């Protein structure tokens, strides 16, 4: 049994950040009464929680209408703008982002097809520009749905404070 447990421990070790193992300072950024932290510092690394777009039209419970978020391009722009604001509040910028995870749902207005081009149209406004040439490592995943009805994009990032 021990022969099976030890290799598993080595496989799981990369899932735990080195800063957590080294006793680095951890600081939770928790504005308001949200259920999760907006971001968490672990040493010089900032982990920003997944950001959904801000609704263009908020839900109206009296009229029983859902929130309207817009298409993939609009939602990606909103999510990235929110991330940029969180980073700026912490003394960082988009050039400090080293890893990005993008979660995309199919757009019902496009017969449920993924609008990767729409996400990229917003992404390229923040990364690989003349003003901000840095590009993060990135993964993009198709998901069946996101937490908010009508949400098509959720983006989370990891940023590192340069020394």
């Amino acid at each position: 049994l021990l022969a099976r447990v030890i290799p598993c421990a080595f496989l799981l070790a990369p899932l735990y950040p080195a800063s957590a193992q080294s006793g680095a300072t951890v600081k939770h950024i928790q504005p308001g009464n949200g259920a999760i932290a907006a971001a968490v510092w672990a040493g010089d690394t900032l982990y920003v929680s997944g950001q959904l777009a801000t609704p263009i039209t908020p839900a109206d419970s009296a009229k029983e209408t859902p929130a309207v978020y817009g298409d993939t391009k609009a939602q990606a722009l909103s999510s990235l703008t929110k991330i940029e604001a969180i980073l700026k509040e912490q003394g960082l910028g988009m050039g400090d982002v080293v890893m990005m995870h993008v979660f995309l749902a199919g757009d019902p207005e496009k017969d449920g097809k993924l609008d990767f081009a729409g996400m990229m149209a917003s992404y390229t406004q923040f990364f690989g520009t003349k003003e901000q040439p840095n590009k993060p490592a990135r993964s993009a995943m198709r998901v069946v749905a996101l937490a908010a009805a009508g949400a098509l994009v959720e983006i989370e990032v990891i940023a590192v404070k340069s020394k």
Side-chain angles (χ1 to χ4, degrees), residues 4 8 12 22 31 33 42 44 51 56-57 67 69-70 74 84 88 92 94-95 97 104 121 132 137 148 154 160:
R4 290 184 186 166
C8 289
L12 294 175
S22 66
N33 295 327
D44 291 333
Q51 299 297 310
I56 295 168
T57 307
Y69 291 90
E84 184 177 49
K88 185 176 180 182
L92 299 171
M94 294 301 250
V97 174
L104 297 165
Q132 199 297 95
E154 182 171 354
V160 177

mmCIF file with all atom_site columns, all heavy atoms in Angstrom, residues 4 8 12 22 31 33 42 44 51 56-57 67 69-70 74 84 88 92 94-95 97 104 121 132 137 148 154 160:
data_model
loop_
_atom_site.group_PDB
_atom_site.id
_atom_site.type_symbol
_atom_site.label_atom_id
_atom_site.label_alt_id
_atom_site.label_comp_id
_atom_site.label_asym_id
_atom_site.label_entity_id
_atom_site.label_seq_id
_atom_site.pdbx_PDB_ins_code
_atom_site.Cartn_x
_atom_site.Cartn_y
_atom_site.Cartn_z
_atom_site.occupancy
_atom_site.B_iso_or_equiv
_atom_site.pdbx_formal_charge
_atom_site.auth_seq_id
_atom_site.auth_comp_id
_atom_site.auth_asym_id
_atom_site.auth_atom_id
_atom_site.pdbx_PDB_model_num
ATOM 1   N N   . ARG A 1 4   ? 2.054   2.462  -3.236  1.00 0.00 ? 4   ARG A N   1
ATOM 2   C CA  . ARG A 1 4   ? 1.066   3.167  -4.051  1.00 0.00 ? 4   ARG A CA  1
ATOM 3   C C   . ARG A 1 4   ? 0.844   4.598  -3.563  1.00 0.00 ? 4   ARG A C   1
ATOM 4   O O   . ARG A 1 4   ? 0.569   5.480  -4.351  1.00 0.00 ? 4   ARG A O   1
ATOM 5   C CB  . ARG A 1 4   ? -0.270  2.425  -4.030  1.00 0.00 ? 4   ARG A CB  1
ATOM 6   C CG  . ARG A 1 4   ? -0.229  1.134  -4.772  1.00 0.00 ? 4   ARG A CG  1
ATOM 7   C CD  . ARG A 1 4   ? -1.591  0.500  -4.798  1.00 0.00 ? 4   ARG A CD  1
ATOM 8   N NE  . ARG A 1 4   ? -1.514  -0.811 -5.405  1.00 0.00 ? 4   ARG A NE  1
ATOM 9   C CZ  . ARG A 1 4   ? -2.455  -1.704 -5.334  1.00 0.00 ? 4   ARG A CZ  1
ATOM 10  N NH1 . ARG A 1 4   ? -3.570  -1.438 -4.692  1.00 0.00 ? 4   ARG A NH1 1
ATOM 11  N NH2 . ARG A 1 4   ? -2.313  -2.868 -5.906  1.00 0.00 ? 4   ARG A NH2 1
ATOM 12  N N   . CYS A 1 8   ? 1.676   8.710  -5.439  1.00 0.00 ? 8   CYS A N   1
ATOM 13  C CA  . CYS A 1 8   ? 0.535   9.639  -5.505  1.00 0.00 ? 8   CYS A CA  1
ATOM 14  C C   . CYS A 1 8   ? 0.895   10.972 -4.878  1.00 0.00 ? 8   CYS A C   1
ATOM 15  O O   . CYS A 1 8   ? 0.507   12.017 -5.367  1.00 0.00 ? 8   CYS A O   1
ATOM 16  C CB  . CYS A 1 8   ? -0.690  9.043  -4.816  1.00 0.00 ? 8   CYS A CB  1
ATOM 17  S SG  . CYS A 1 8   ? -1.401  7.671  -5.745  1.00 0.00 ? 8   CYS A SG  1
ATOM 18  N N   . LEU A 1 12  ? 0.700   14.711 -6.635  1.00 0.00 ? 12  LEU A N   1
ATOM 19  C CA  . LEU A 1 12  ? -0.119  15.802 -6.098  1.00 0.00 ? 12  LEU A CA  1
ATOM 20  C C   . LEU A 1 12  ? 0.713   17.019 -5.707  1.00 0.00 ? 12  LEU A C   1
ATOM 21  O O   . LEU A 1 12  ? 0.188   18.121 -5.642  1.00 0.00 ? 12  LEU A O   1
ATOM 22  C CB  . LEU A 1 12  ? -0.922  15.326 -4.887  1.00 0.00 ? 12  LEU A CB  1
ATOM 23  C CG  . LEU A 1 12  ? -1.996  14.278 -5.188  1.00 0.00 ? 12  LEU A CG  1
ATOM 24  C CD1 . LEU A 1 12  ? -2.629  13.791 -3.892  1.00 0.00 ? 12  LEU A CD1 1
ATOM 25  C CD2 . LEU A 1 12  ? -3.048  14.836 -6.115  1.00 0.00 ? 12  LEU A CD2 1
ATOM 26  N N   . SER A 1 22  ? 6.459   27.183 1.526   1.00 0.00 ? 22  SER A N   1
ATOM 27  C CA  . SER A 1 22  ? 7.598   27.888 2.092   1.00 0.00 ? 22  SER A CA  1
ATOM 28  C C   . SER A 1 22  ? 7.220   28.803 3.252   1.00 0.00 ? 22  SER A C   1
ATOM 29  O O   . SER A 1 22  ? 8.077   29.473 3.788   1.00 0.00 ? 22  SER A O   1
ATOM 30  C CB  . SER A 1 22  ? 8.289   28.716 1.007   1.00 0.00 ? 22  SER A CB  1
ATOM 31  O OG  . SER A 1 22  ? 7.430   29.750 0.567   1.00 0.00 ? 22  SER A OG  1
ATOM 32  N N   . PRO A 1 31  ? -13.480 42.069 -0.502  1.00 0.00 ? 31  PRO A N   1
ATOM 33  C CA  . PRO A 1 31  ? -14.356 43.243 -0.402  1.00 0.00 ? 31  PRO A CA  1
ATOM 34  C C   . PRO A 1 31  ? -15.815 42.828 -0.224  1.00 0.00 ? 31  PRO A C   1
ATOM 35  O O   . PRO A 1 31  ? -16.263 41.829 -0.789  1.00 0.00 ? 31  PRO A O   1
ATOM 36  C CB  . PRO A 1 31  ? -14.147 43.959 -1.731  1.00 0.00 ? 31  PRO A CB  1
ATOM 37  C CG  . PRO A 1 31  ? -13.700 42.890 -2.668  1.00 0.00 ? 31  PRO A CG  1
ATOM 38  C CD  . PRO A 1 31  ? -12.979 41.873 -1.839  1.00 0.00 ? 31  PRO A CD  1
ATOM 39  N N   . ASN A 1 33  ? -19.470 41.515 1.127   1.00 0.00 ? 33  ASN A N   1
ATOM 40  C CA  . ASN A 1 33  ? -19.949 40.284 1.750   1.00 0.00 ? 33  ASN A CA  1
ATOM 41  C C   . ASN A 1 33  ? -19.943 39.110 0.785   1.00 0.00 ? 33  ASN A C   1
ATOM 42  O O   . ASN A 1 33  ? -20.765 38.211 0.890   1.00 0.00 ? 33  ASN A O   1
ATOM 43  C CB  . ASN A 1 33  ? -21.377 40.493 2.283   1.00 0.00 ? 33  ASN A CB  1
ATOM 44  C CG  . ASN A 1 33  ? -21.417 41.501 3.404   1.00 0.00 ? 33  ASN A CG  1
ATOM 45  O OD1 . ASN A 1 33  ? -20.479 41.608 4.184   1.00 0.00 ? 33  ASN A OD1 1
ATOM 46  N ND2 . ASN A 1 33  ? -22.499 42.263 3.478   1.00 0.00 ? 33  ASN A ND2 1
ATOM 47  N N   . ALA A 1 42  ? -0.320  35.069 -2.111  1.00 0.00 ? 42  ALA A N   1
ATOM 48  C CA  . ALA A 1 42  ? 0.509   34.047 -1.482  1.00 0.00 ? 42  ALA A CA  1
ATOM 49  C C   . ALA A 1 42  ? 1.938   34.436 -1.839  1.00 0.00 ? 42  ALA A C   1
ATOM 50  O O   . ALA A 1 42  ? 2.387   34.207 -2.965  1.00 0.00 ? 42  ALA A O   1
ATOM 51  C CB  . ALA A 1 42  ? 0.160   32.658 -1.986  1.00 0.00 ? 42  ALA A CB  1
ATOM 52  N N   . ASP A 1 44  ? 4.535   36.672 -3.331  1.00 0.00 ? 44  ASP A N   1
ATOM 53  C CA  . ASP A 1 44  ? 4.496   37.671 -4.402  1.00 0.00 ? 44  ASP A CA  1
ATOM 54  C C   . ASP A 1 44  ? 3.527   37.294 -5.528  1.00 0.00 ? 44  ASP A C   1
ATOM 55  O O   . ASP A 1 44  ? 3.526   37.918 -6.584  1.00 0.00 ? 44  ASP A O   1
ATOM 56  C CB  . ASP A 1 44  ? 5.895   37.856 -5.007  1.00 0.00 ? 44  ASP A CB  1
ATOM 57  C CG  . ASP A 1 44  ? 6.859   38.519 -4.036  1.00 0.00 ? 44  ASP A CG  1
ATOM 58  O OD1 . ASP A 1 44  ? 6.389   39.276 -3.164  1.00 0.00 ? 44  ASP A OD1 1
ATOM 59  O OD2 . ASP A 1 44  ? 8.071   38.268 -4.151  1.00 0.00 ? 44  ASP A OD2 1
ATOM 60  N N   . GLN A 1 51  ? -13.747 35.771 -12.833 1.00 0.00 ? 51  GLN A N   1
ATOM 61  C CA  . GLN A 1 51  ? -14.587 36.969 -12.963 1.00 0.00 ? 51  GLN A CA  1
ATOM 62  C C   . GLN A 1 51  ? -15.577 36.785 -14.105 1.00 0.00 ? 51  GLN A C   1
ATOM 63  O O   . GLN A 1 51  ? -15.186 36.512 -15.241 1.00 0.00 ? 51  GLN A O   1
ATOM 64  C CB  . GLN A 1 51  ? -13.720 38.205 -13.227 1.00 0.00 ? 51  GLN A CB  1
ATOM 65  C CG  . GLN A 1 51  ? -12.731 38.519 -12.118 1.00 0.00 ? 51  GLN A CG  1
ATOM 66  C CD  . GLN A 1 51  ? -13.412 38.854 -10.810 1.00 0.00 ? 51  GLN A CD  1
ATOM 67  O OE1 . GLN A 1 51  ? -14.315 39.688 -10.759 1.00 0.00 ? 51  GLN A OE1 1
ATOM 68  N NE2 . GLN A 1 51  ? -12.985 38.191 -9.741  1.00 0.00 ? 51  GLN A NE2 1
ATOM 69  N N   . ILE A 1 56  ? -25.156 43.805 -18.521 1.00 0.00 ? 56  ILE A N   1
ATOM 70  C CA  . ILE A 1 56  ? -25.486 45.042 -19.226 1.00 0.00 ? 56  ILE A CA  1
ATOM 71  C C   . ILE A 1 56  ? -26.827 45.548 -18.690 1.00 0.00 ? 56  ILE A C   1
ATOM 72  O O   . ILE A 1 56  ? -27.015 46.734 -18.462 1.00 0.00 ? 56  ILE A O   1
ATOM 73  C CB  . ILE A 1 56  ? -25.565 44.801 -20.755 1.00 0.00 ? 56  ILE A CB  1
ATOM 74  C CG1 . ILE A 1 56  ? -24.187 44.403 -21.285 1.00 0.00 ? 56  ILE A CG1 1
ATOM 75  C CG2 . ILE A 1 56  ? -26.100 46.020 -21.482 1.00 0.00 ? 56  ILE A CG2 1
ATOM 76  C CD1 . ILE A 1 56  ? -24.198 43.877 -22.710 1.00 0.00 ? 56  ILE A CD1 1
ATOM 77  N N   . THR A 1 57  ? -27.737 44.606 -18.485 1.00 0.00 ? 57  THR A N   1
ATOM 78  C CA  . THR A 1 57  ? -29.044 44.891 -17.885 1.00 0.00 ? 57  THR A CA  1
ATOM 79  C C   . THR A 1 57  ? -29.222 43.930 -16.721 1.00 0.00 ? 57  THR A C   1
ATOM 80  O O   . THR A 1 57  ? -29.280 42.712 -16.933 1.00 0.00 ? 57  THR A O   1
ATOM 81  C CB  . THR A 1 57  ? -30.189 44.674 -18.909 1.00 0.00 ? 57  THR A CB  1
ATOM 82  O OG1 . THR A 1 57  ? -29.910 45.421 -20.083 1.00 0.00 ? 57  THR A OG1 1
ATOM 83  C CG2 . THR A 1 57  ? -31.521 45.088 -18.326 1.00 0.00 ? 57  THR A CG2 1
ATOM 84  N N   . ALA A 1 67  ? -30.876 38.596 -16.026 1.00 0.00 ? 67  ALA A N   1
ATOM 85  C CA  . ALA A 1 67  ? -29.828 39.552 -16.386 1.00 0.00 ? 67  ALA A CA  1
ATOM 86  C C   . ALA A 1 67  ? -29.410 39.316 -17.835 1.00 0.00 ? 67  ALA A C   1
ATOM 87  O O   . ALA A 1 67  ? -29.450 38.196 -18.329 1.00 0.00 ? 67  ALA A O   1
ATOM 88  C CB  . ALA A 1 67  ? -28.631 39.394 -15.467 1.00 0.00 ? 67  ALA A CB  1
ATOM 89  N N   . TYR A 1 69  ? -26.174 39.788 -20.328 1.00 0.00 ? 69  TYR A N   1
ATOM 90  C CA  . TYR A 1 69  ? -24.728 39.989 -20.248 1.00 0.00 ? 69  TYR A CA  1
ATOM 91  C C   . TYR A 1 69  ? -24.083 40.382 -21.564 1.00 0.00 ? 69  TYR A C   1
ATOM 92  O O   . TYR A 1 69  ? -22.941 40.804 -21.584 1.00 0.00 ? 69  TYR A O   1
ATOM 93  C CB  . TYR A 1 69  ? -24.050 38.710 -19.736 1.00 0.00 ? 69  TYR A CB  1
ATOM 94  C CG  . TYR A 1 69  ? -24.354 38.416 -18.297 1.00 0.00 ? 69  TYR A CG  1
ATOM 95  C CD1 . TYR A 1 69  ? -25.444 37.635 -17.944 1.00 0.00 ? 69  TYR A CD1 1
ATOM 96  C CD2 . TYR A 1 69  ? -23.550 38.909 -17.284 1.00 0.00 ? 69  TYR A CD2 1
ATOM 97  C CE1 . TYR A 1 69  ? -25.723 37.352 -16.623 1.00 0.00 ? 69  TYR A CE1 1
ATOM 98  C CE2 . TYR A 1 69  ? -23.812 38.637 -15.949 1.00 0.00 ? 69  TYR A CE2 1
ATOM 99  C CZ  . TYR A 1 69  ? -24.910 37.853 -15.624 1.00 0.00 ? 69  TYR A CZ  1
ATOM 100 O OH  . TYR A 1 69  ? -25.181 37.582 -14.322 1.00 0.00 ? 69  TYR A OH  1
ATOM 101 N N   . GLY A 1 70  ? -24.751 40.187 -22.673 1.00 0.00 ? 70  GLY A N   1
ATOM 102 C CA  . GLY A 1 70  ? -24.150 40.480 -23.971 1.00 0.00 ? 70  GLY A CA  1
ATOM 103 C C   . GLY A 1 70  ? -23.491 39.252 -24.565 1.00 0.00 ? 70  GLY A C   1
ATOM 104 O O   . GLY A 1 70  ? -23.546 38.155 -24.006 1.00 0.00 ? 70  GLY A O   1
ATOM 105 N N   . ALA A 1 74  ? -18.338 41.001 -25.611 1.00 0.00 ? 74  ALA A N   1
ATOM 106 C CA  . ALA A 1 74  ? -18.691 41.975 -24.572 1.00 0.00 ? 74  ALA A CA  1
ATOM 107 C C   . ALA A 1 74  ? -18.408 41.416 -23.179 1.00 0.00 ? 74  ALA A C   1
ATOM 108 O O   . ALA A 1 74  ? -17.909 42.127 -22.299 1.00 0.00 ? 74  ALA A O   1
ATOM 109 C CB  . ALA A 1 74  ? -20.164 42.366 -24.701 1.00 0.00 ? 74  ALA A CB  1
ATOM 110 N N   . GLU A 1 84  ? -8.452  43.710 -14.566 1.00 0.00 ? 84  GLU A N   1
ATOM 111 C CA  . GLU A 1 84  ? -7.506  44.824 -14.610 1.00 0.00 ? 84  GLU A CA  1
ATOM 112 C C   . GLU A 1 84  ? -7.675  45.728 -13.391 1.00 0.00 ? 84  GLU A C   1
ATOM 113 O O   . GLU A 1 84  ? -6.690  46.177 -12.792 1.00 0.00 ? 84  GLU A O   1
ATOM 114 C CB  . GLU A 1 84  ? -7.698  45.606 -15.904 1.00 0.00 ? 84  GLU A CB  1
ATOM 115 C CG  . GLU A 1 84  ? -6.698  46.730 -16.101 1.00 0.00 ? 84  GLU A CG  1
ATOM 116 C CD  . GLU A 1 84  ? -6.883  47.427 -17.435 1.00 0.00 ? 84  GLU A CD  1
ATOM 117 O OE1 . GLU A 1 84  ? -8.027  47.798 -17.773 1.00 0.00 ? 84  GLU A OE1 1
ATOM 118 O OE2 . GLU A 1 84  ? -5.871  47.593 -18.146 1.00 0.00 ? 84  GLU A OE2 1
ATOM 119 N N   . LYS A 1 88  ? -4.897  46.436 -10.564 1.00 0.00 ? 88  LYS A N   1
ATOM 120 C CA  . LYS A 1 88  ? -4.472  47.818 -10.304 1.00 0.00 ? 88  LYS A CA  1
ATOM 121 C C   . LYS A 1 88  ? -4.606  48.154 -8.823  1.00 0.00 ? 88  LYS A C   1
ATOM 122 O O   . LYS A 1 88  ? -3.710  48.764 -8.236  1.00 0.00 ? 88  LYS A O   1
ATOM 123 C CB  . LYS A 1 88  ? -5.304  48.788 -11.149 1.00 0.00 ? 88  LYS A CB  1
ATOM 124 C CG  . LYS A 1 88  ? -4.853  50.221 -11.036 1.00 0.00 ? 88  LYS A CG  1
ATOM 125 C CD  . LYS A 1 88  ? -5.638  51.128 -11.960 1.00 0.00 ? 88  LYS A CD  1
ATOM 126 C CE  . LYS A 1 88  ? -5.145  52.561 -11.817 1.00 0.00 ? 88  LYS A CE  1
ATOM 127 N NZ  . LYS A 1 88  ? -5.913  53.476 -12.662 1.00 0.00 ? 88  LYS A NZ  1
ATOM 128 N N   . LEU A 1 92  ? -0.603  46.014 -9.345  1.00 0.00 ? 92  LEU A N   1
ATOM 129 C CA  . LEU A 1 92  ? -0.153  45.214 -10.486 1.00 0.00 ? 92  LEU A CA  1
ATOM 130 C C   . LEU A 1 92  ? -0.853  45.676 -11.750 1.00 0.00 ? 92  LEU A C   1
ATOM 131 O O   . LEU A 1 92  ? -1.786  46.470 -11.692 1.00 0.00 ? 92  LEU A O   1
ATOM 132 C CB  . LEU A 1 92  ? -0.471  43.730 -10.247 1.00 0.00 ? 92  LEU A CB  1
ATOM 133 C CG  . LEU A 1 92  ? 0.180   43.065 -9.031  1.00 0.00 ? 92  LEU A CG  1
ATOM 134 C CD1 . LEU A 1 92  ? -0.401  41.675 -8.821  1.00 0.00 ? 92  LEU A CD1 1
ATOM 135 C CD2 . LEU A 1 92  ? 1.680   43.004 -9.187  1.00 0.00 ? 92  LEU A CD2 1
ATOM 136 N N   . MET A 1 94  ? -1.823  44.286 -16.113 1.00 0.00 ? 94  MET A N   1
ATOM 137 C CA  . MET A 1 94  ? -2.044  43.125 -16.963 1.00 0.00 ? 94  MET A CA  1
ATOM 138 C C   . MET A 1 94  ? -0.726  42.492 -17.411 1.00 0.00 ? 94  MET A C   1
ATOM 139 O O   . MET A 1 94  ? -0.664  41.299 -17.669 1.00 0.00 ? 94  MET A O   1
ATOM 140 C CB  . MET A 1 94  ? -2.900  43.499 -18.169 1.00 0.00 ? 94  MET A CB  1
ATOM 141 C CG  . MET A 1 94  ? -4.326  43.895 -17.801 1.00 0.00 ? 94  MET A CG  1
ATOM 142 S SD  . MET A 1 94  ? -5.232  42.614 -16.926 1.00 0.00 ? 94  MET A SD  1
ATOM 143 C CE  . MET A 1 94  ? -6.399  42.146 -18.199 1.00 0.00 ? 94  MET A CE  1
ATOM 144 N N   . GLY A 1 95  ? 0.338   43.257 -17.473 1.00 0.00 ? 95  GLY A N   1
ATOM 145 C CA  . GLY A 1 95  ? 1.648   42.716 -17.825 1.00 0.00 ? 95  GLY A CA  1
ATOM 146 C C   . GLY A 1 95  ? 2.227   41.799 -16.765 1.00 0.00 ? 95  GLY A C   1
ATOM 147 O O   . GLY A 1 95  ? 3.191   41.079 -17.024 1.00 0.00 ? 95  GLY A O   1
ATOM 148 N N   . VAL A 1 97  ? 0.386   39.438 -15.348 1.00 0.00 ? 97  VAL A N   1
ATOM 149 C CA  . VAL A 1 97  ? -0.355  38.179 -15.416 1.00 0.00 ? 97  VAL A CA  1
ATOM 150 C C   . VAL A 1 97  ? 0.538   37.123 -16.061 1.00 0.00 ? 97  VAL A C   1
ATOM 151 O O   . VAL A 1 97  ? 1.056   37.319 -17.156 1.00 0.00 ? 97  VAL A O   1
ATOM 152 C CB  . VAL A 1 97  ? -1.669  38.346 -16.224 1.00 0.00 ? 97  VAL A CB  1
ATOM 153 C CG1 . VAL A 1 97  ? -2.362  36.997 -16.426 1.00 0.00 ? 97  VAL A CG1 1
ATOM 154 C CG2 . VAL A 1 97  ? -2.599  39.328 -15.523 1.00 0.00 ? 97  VAL A CG2 1
ATOM 155 N N   . LEU A 1 104 ? -15.391 29.093 -21.298 1.00 0.00 ? 104 LEU A N   1
ATOM 156 C CA  . LEU A 1 104 ? -16.330 29.600 -22.296 1.00 0.00 ? 104 LEU A CA  1
ATOM 157 C C   . LEU A 1 104 ? -17.517 28.653 -22.449 1.00 0.00 ? 104 LEU A C   1
ATOM 158 O O   . LEU A 1 104 ? -17.336 27.438 -22.557 1.00 0.00 ? 104 LEU A O   1
ATOM 159 C CB  . LEU A 1 104 ? -15.641 29.721 -23.654 1.00 0.00 ? 104 LEU A CB  1
ATOM 160 C CG  . LEU A 1 104 ? -14.476 30.700 -23.749 1.00 0.00 ? 104 LEU A CG  1
ATOM 161 C CD1 . LEU A 1 104 ? -13.675 30.457 -25.015 1.00 0.00 ? 104 LEU A CD1 1
ATOM 162 C CD2 . LEU A 1 104 ? -14.988 32.117 -23.705 1.00 0.00 ? 104 LEU A CD2 1
ATOM 163 N N   . ALA A 1 121 ? -11.007 38.759 -29.525 1.00 0.00 ? 121 ALA A N   1
ATOM 164 C CA  . ALA A 1 121 ? -11.122 40.173 -29.894 1.00 0.00 ? 121 ALA A CA  1
ATOM 165 C C   . ALA A 1 121 ? -10.968 41.061 -28.654 1.00 0.00 ? 121 ALA A C   1
ATOM 166 O O   . ALA A 1 121 ? -10.372 42.141 -28.722 1.00 0.00 ? 121 ALA A O   1
ATOM 167 C CB  . ALA A 1 121 ? -12.455 40.437 -30.588 1.00 0.00 ? 121 ALA A CB  1
ATOM 168 N N   . GLN A 1 132 ? 1.333   47.138 -24.012 1.00 0.00 ? 132 GLN A N   1
ATOM 169 C CA  . GLN A 1 132 ? 1.474   46.040 -23.050 1.00 0.00 ? 132 GLN A CA  1
ATOM 170 C C   . GLN A 1 132 ? 1.752   44.763 -23.849 1.00 0.00 ? 132 GLN A C   1
ATOM 171 O O   . GLN A 1 132 ? 0.831   44.023 -24.161 1.00 0.00 ? 132 GLN A O   1
ATOM 172 C CB  . GLN A 1 132 ? 0.185   45.926 -22.224 1.00 0.00 ? 132 GLN A CB  1
ATOM 173 C CG  . GLN A 1 132 ? 0.300   45.158 -20.913 1.00 0.00 ? 132 GLN A CG  1
ATOM 174 C CD  . GLN A 1 132 ? 0.681   43.694 -21.100 1.00 0.00 ? 132 GLN A CD  1
ATOM 175 O OE1 . GLN A 1 132 ? 1.856   43.351 -21.019 1.00 0.00 ? 132 GLN A OE1 1
ATOM 176 N NE2 . GLN A 1 132 ? -0.261  42.828 -21.339 1.00 0.00 ? 132 GLN A NE2 1
ATOM 177 N N   . ALA A 1 137 ? 0.709   32.740 -20.125 1.00 0.00 ? 137 ALA A N   1
ATOM 178 C CA  . ALA A 1 137 ? 0.372   31.362 -20.485 1.00 0.00 ? 137 ALA A CA  1
ATOM 179 C C   . ALA A 1 137 ? -1.143  31.283 -20.304 1.00 0.00 ? 137 ALA A C   1
ATOM 180 O O   . ALA A 1 137 ? -1.706  31.983 -19.457 1.00 0.00 ? 137 ALA A O   1
ATOM 181 C CB  . ALA A 1 137 ? 1.091   30.387 -19.561 1.00 0.00 ? 137 ALA A CB  1
ATOM 182 N N   . ALA A 1 148 ? -23.798 31.878 -13.543 1.00 0.00 ? 148 ALA A N   1
ATOM 183 C CA  . ALA A 1 148 ? -24.902 32.825 -13.773 1.00 0.00 ? 148 ALA A CA  1
ATOM 184 C C   . ALA A 1 148 ? -25.595 32.493 -15.093 1.00 0.00 ? 148 ALA A C   1
ATOM 185 O O   . ALA A 1 148 ? -24.925 32.293 -16.113 1.00 0.00 ? 148 ALA A O   1
ATOM 186 C CB  . ALA A 1 148 ? -24.377 34.258 -13.800 1.00 0.00 ? 148 ALA A CB  1
ATOM 187 N N   . GLU A 1 154 ? -15.984 33.259 -18.181 1.00 0.00 ? 154 GLU A N   1
ATOM 188 C CA  . GLU A 1 154 ? -15.421 33.476 -16.854 1.00 0.00 ? 154 GLU A CA  1
ATOM 189 C C   . GLU A 1 154 ? -13.918 33.360 -17.001 1.00 0.00 ? 154 GLU A C   1
ATOM 190 O O   . GLU A 1 154 ? -13.421 32.446 -17.658 1.00 0.00 ? 154 GLU A O   1
ATOM 191 C CB  . GLU A 1 154 ? -15.935 32.461 -15.833 1.00 0.00 ? 154 GLU A CB  1
ATOM 192 C CG  . GLU A 1 154 ? -15.395 32.715 -14.443 1.00 0.00 ? 154 GLU A CG  1
ATOM 193 C CD  . GLU A 1 154 ? -16.051 31.868 -13.360 1.00 0.00 ? 154 GLU A CD  1
ATOM 194 O OE1 . GLU A 1 154 ? -17.025 31.148 -13.656 1.00 0.00 ? 154 GLU A OE1 1
ATOM 195 O OE2 . GLU A 1 154 ? -15.572 31.935 -12.213 1.00 0.00 ? 154 GLU A OE2 1
ATOM 196 N N   . VAL A 1 160 ? 2.135   37.798 -10.868 1.00 0.00 ? 160 VAL A N   1
ATOM 197 C CA  . VAL A 1 160 ? 3.292   37.787 -9.989  1.00 0.00 ? 160 VAL A CA  1
ATOM 198 C C   . VAL A 1 160 ? 3.885   39.184 -9.942  1.00 0.00 ? 160 VAL A C   1
ATOM 199 O O   . VAL A 1 160 ? 4.119   39.808 -10.977 1.00 0.00 ? 160 VAL A O   1
ATOM 200 C CB  . VAL A 1 160 ? 4.345   36.762 -10.457 1.00 0.00 ? 160 VAL A CB  1
ATOM 201 C CG1 . VAL A 1 160 ? 5.580   36.819 -9.582  1.00 0.00 ? 160 VAL A CG1 1
ATOM 202 C CG2 . VAL A 1 160 ? 3.755   35.355 -10.463 1.00 0.00 ? 160 VAL A CG2 1
#
